[in-house]
Amino acid sequence: KQEVTQIPAALSVPEGENLVLNCSFTDSAIYNLQWFRQDPGKGLTSLLLIQSSQREQTSGRLNASLDKSSGRSTLYIAASQPGDSATYLCAVRSGYGGATNKLIFGTGTLLAVQP
Amino acid sequence: DGGITQSPKYLFRKEGQNVTLSCEQNLNHDAMYWYRQDPGQGLRLIYYSQIVNDFQKGDIAEGYSVSREKKESFPLTVTSAQKNPTAFYLCASSIGHTGYNEQFFGPGTRLTVL
C-alpha cells in the first residue's frame, strides 16, 4: 500500500530565507508526483508535476526534485515571501488496484513566512 | 476563461437529507474526480470518471453517488447513508485517465451537517 509522508508538518521562516519541504513515499512504482499549494479554505493549485522518468522541475522560485529509488521528493523555495504562506501538499500517482487515476496525498506542510 | 467551478461554496445539511454538490469544467477534460479533505488527513478519493457515462468507486465511496451524463459535469450526491459527511469536498479533472496526466482542482465546497 502506497503511503505519503510530509515532514515537517509546520514550518515558520523569516522572509528571504531559502527553504526545503520534504515528501517521502513507500513504493517507488509511481507514474508521477505533484506538488500543490492550498490557501485556507481554498482549492488546490498545482505547482509542479514531475513524471517518473524525470529528476526535477523548475518554475520561477520553485524547484522540485524526485528520487524514485529512495522514495523522496523535495520542494525548494528560494527567497521566500509572505505570499508563499500556505499549506503545501505532495501527491503521487500510483497504479495500485488498477486505479491509475488515484492521487495519494500526504497531509501537508503548513508554511508561514514572517515579514 | 477555462477552469473548474464548484457550487455552492458552503452547504449545510440536516440529518437524513441528501444533498448534491456541483462540479463543472470547461477544459474539455475526459476524466473527473471527487476527493474529500478532513483536518489532519490527506485528500481521499471518493469517485472518479474516465469518460462520459462511466464512473468507478474510489477508496471511500460508501454513502456517496455520482453521475456523468455530460463531459463537462460530474455532480456528487451525499446521501443520508454517509455517517460523517462534514468535510471539504474537492473536484478535479485531467485531460486523460492515464497515470501520466496532471490533475487540476476546483475551489471546493464545504459541507456541514447541522
Side-chain angles (χ1 to χ4, degrees):
Chain A
K1 179 184 174 184
Q2 179 73 274
E3 293 181 355
V4 179
T5 303
Q6 291 187 248
I7 295 173
L11 181 64
S12 180
V13 299
E15 181 177 4
E17 266 203 12
N18 302 325
L19 60 99
V20 174
L21 306 181
N22 297 294
C23 173
S24 61
F25 47 96
T26 54
D27 192 299
S28 61
I30 65 171
Y31 288 94
N32 55 47
L33 182 146
Q34 258 181 285
W35 282 95
F36 294 91
R37 169 187 173 136
Q38 186 175 32
D39 293 291
K42 306 290 186 182
L44 276 61
T45 300
S46 181
L47 297 173
L48 290 164
L49 170 72
I50 312 176
Q51 299 292 357
S52 60
S53 59
Q54 298 173 324
R55 295 299 298 265
E56 66 177 343
Q57 285 286 336
T58 298
S59 176
R61 295 183 293 109
L62 305 180
N63 176 278
S65 68
L66 175 64
D67 184 343
K68 260 200 341 174
S69 60
S70 67
R72 294 183 183 184
S73 176
T74 61
L75 179 66
Y76 174 83
I77 302 177
S80 59
Q81 303 170 358
D84 294 329
S85 299
T87 296
Y88 290 81
L89 295 165
C90 164
V92 298
R93 192 86 170 247
S94 185
Y96 277 103
T100 59
N101 307 285
K102 183 161 66 175
L103 276 173
I104 300 171
F105 283 83
T107 52
T109 293
L110 177 60
L111 173 65
V113 181
Q114 309 299 332
Chain B
D1 194 21
I4 303 171
T5 56
Q6 292 186 241
S7 62
K9 186 173 181 179
Y10 299 98
L11 186 58
F12 298 91
R13 191 193 94 169
K14 293 182 180 179
E15 296 268 357
Q17 277 186 338
N18 294 352
V19 292
T20 298
L21 283 60
S22 170
C23 177
E24 304 274 333
Q25 54 96 3
N26 60 5
L27 301 168
N28 200 32
H29 284 176
D30 281 324
M32 297 186 74
Y33 317 82
W34 275 105
Y35 292 87
R36 169 182 171 140
Q37 186 176 33
D38 295 280
Q41 298 191 40
L43 278 73
R44 293 177 290 168
L45 182 67
I46 304 172
Y47 267 98
Y48 65 97
S49 169
Q50 297 181 353
I51 202 164
V52 175
N53 293 322
D54 173 78
F55 50 83
Q56 305 293 330
K57 292 181 179 179
D59 295 324
I60 54 167
E62 185 175 351
Y64 300 98
S65 66
V66 294
S67 63
R68 187 85 187 278
E69 298 175 0
K70 298 186 296 182
K71 185 175 186 177
E72 59 270 22
S73 178
F74 191 40
L76 173 74
T77 297
V78 184
T79 74
S80 57
Q82 171 48 241
K83 298 306 178 188
N84 185 22
T86 295
F88 191 48
Y89 291 86
L90 289 157
C91 177
S93 71
S94 61
I95 191 167
H97 60 80
T98 72
Y100 299 100
N101 296 136
E102 185 174 4
Q103 290 190 17
F104 299 90
F105 283 76
T109 292
R110 184 164 299 280
L111 173 63
T112 302
V113 174
L114 301 174

